[in-house]
Amino acid sequence: MFRVIKCKNKTEIAEKVSLRIENQIKRKKSSLFILPTGSTPVPIYKKLVKDCKEGKVSFKKVKTFNLDEYLGLPSDHYERYYNFMMRNLFSGIDINPSNINIPNSEAKNFSREAKNYEQKYRDEGPADLAILGIGRNGHIGFNEPGTGIDSVTHVVSISESTRIANSRFFDSLEQVPKKAITMGIDTIMSAKEIIIVITGKDKRIILDRFLKEKDFDPDIPATALLKHGNVKVYVDREAMGGK
Ligand code: GLP
């Protein structure tokens, strides 16, 4: 199944995707999720925090693995994904901190950290559900164009176009890290179900290209999802060009 679900706006997507996450937790308390960062998931995380505070869902047994993490930022940097996740989701829900997994950007040896992260995920996984955003160049996690479909968690050089896109969160382009650790495409594809959320007018071009593809095209890493079998693509009107 590869279904495109057209929604009015980000609020409608946040309602639908958070409901799917909450139903998954109702079905299996110890569900394992792969989670993204970026601006796209923020409304979903807000809704989950609200519902948890209102007692509608509990994350006590839930396990999470984040897709990726920047390398080279100071540990208290606002944009470090660990801090992003704490701020936007984890500090507002009742998850057990020992069930949270994010690549450690303070590790001494980054390739070893990537290897260990992959191993821990494979030991505890596969994920019941992966939630993804998409980069303007079609990247998922930090799997930039050209990444192999069989890739596992690894250290990456972030492309110049992604650094420019992400520089909106930093004071200047120079401050955007050049490296990251990301789950590989194969790691992501191991999830039993994948939801990819594509919102806003900045994603119009990539959404159009993504939906036209019929098979994996390494120039658009997200097209690997065409090979998965259980994918839902949530799009809003802005990304569809107002349609
Ligand atoms: C970063 C992350 C991706 C994310 C992308 C899009 O590069 N590594 O996982 O999907 O940004 O971000 P946004 O949702 O802000 O457009």
Side-chain angles (χ1 to χ4, degrees), residues 37-40 67-68 81 133-135 139 141-142 162 166 168-169 203:
T37 52
S39 51
T40 305
L67 280 168
D68 49 12
Y81 286 163
I134 191 169
H139 71 245
F142 267 125
T162 298
N166 290 3
R168 69 192 193 280
F169 299 117
K203 302 287 168 68

Side-chain angles (χ1 to χ4, degrees), residues 2-7 13 134-138 196-213 220 222-223 232-243:
F2 184 91
R3 257 180 71 202
V4 180
I5 297 148
K6 297 180 178 174
C7 298
I13 294 181
I134 191 169
R136 292 180 208 177
N137 63 0
I196 181 161
V197 182
I198 307 180
T199 56
K201 57 178 180 353
D202 289 343
K203 302 287 168 68
R204 269 181 205 171
I205 297 170
I206 193 60
L207 175 64
D208 195 49
R209 285 181 67 198
F210 176 51
L211 295 181
K212 277 190 185 130
E213 293 290 338
I220 308 173
T223 54
K232 291 194 191 97
V233 188
Y234 281 86
V235 297
D236 72 352
R237 274 191 196 150
E238 275 190 21
M240 286 183 294
K243 281 173 243 161

Side-chain angles (χ1 to χ4, degrees), residues 68-136:
D68 49 12
E69 176 61 288
Y70 284 125
L71 296 177
L73 290 178
S75 61
D76 61 348
H77 196 286
Y78 195 77
E79 290 305 325
R80 191 179 164 220
Y81 286 163
Y82 176 88
N83 298 329
F84 171 97
M85 289 306 295
M86 288 299 155
R87 195 165 65 238
N88 286 290
L89 182 65
F90 297 142
S91 65
I93 60 174
D94 59 349
I95 192 165
N96 180 342
S98 66
N99 288 339
I100 296 171
N101 297 277
I102 303 177
N104 179 10
S105 57
E106 312 226 282
K108 285 216 176 77
N109 180 326
F110 296 139
S111 326
R112 194 181 307 140
E113 170 61 15
K115 213 170 159 220
N116 292 345
Y117 195 75
E118 178 75 19
Q119 192 56 53
K120 187 157 193 235
Y121 168 75
R122 296 287 174 176
D123 289 346
E124 298 188 24
D128 296 286
L129 177 61
I131 312 285
L132 311 178
I134 191 169
R136 292 180 208 177

